[in-house]
Amino acid sequence: WFVPILVFIAVVQVILVQLGSDFVGTTPLSGSEWAGCIVIALAGFPMGWVSQLIHSGPIVEAIRRRRGRRVQPHQVNIKPATPEPTWTEDEKKFSASRTC
């Protein structure tokens, strides 16, 4: 269903831009303006493919093999930037006495 919906959206856009005029508040585009729109729209496809390749393809597998272990993206260990403070017993008592 993806391709028919994509074609339908493209046809409706062309009709609205070229024939919409007062109804939609548009002015018709020239051929070079349509070509520019199509080139910009198609530029998103290679970017999406590269993004998929990076996040789920051979690049991720190569990184995992280099590390020597298989790590799933959701299994990242995050350590705190600073260690937790250690309190003496006197500091704990003082802090507890100052709470509201």
Side-chain angles (χ1 to χ4, degrees), residues 52-72:
Q52 272 187 328
L53 183 69
I54 290 171
H55 292 291
S56 64
I59 294 174
V60 172
E61 287 300 319
I63 291 170
R64 290 178 185 158
R65 280 194 302 272
R66 187 170 182 195
R67 288 181 182 167
R69 58 192 161 101
R70 295 186 142 265
V71 178
Q72 298 300 322

Side-chain angles (χ1 to χ4, degrees), residues 19-90:
L19 305 175
S21 299
D22 294 333
F23 175 68
V24 208
T26 61
T27 57
L29 297 178
S30 67
S32 61
E33 290 171 329
W34 275 112
C37 290
I38 291 170
V39 166
I40 291 171
L42 293 177
F45 285 109
M47 287 188 266
W49 294 330
V50 169
S51 175
Q52 272 187 328
L53 183 69
I54 290 171
H55 292 291
S56 64
I59 294 174
V60 172
E61 287 300 319
I63 291 170
R64 290 178 185 158
R65 280 194 302 272
R66 187 170 182 195
R67 288 181 182 167
R69 58 192 161 101
R70 295 186 142 265
V71 178
Q72 298 300 322
H74 64 278
Q75 295 175 331
V76 177
N77 294 326
I78 300 174
K79 296 180 182 176
T82 57
E84 290 291 322
T86 55
W87 304 98
T88 64
E89 289 301 317
D90 290 335

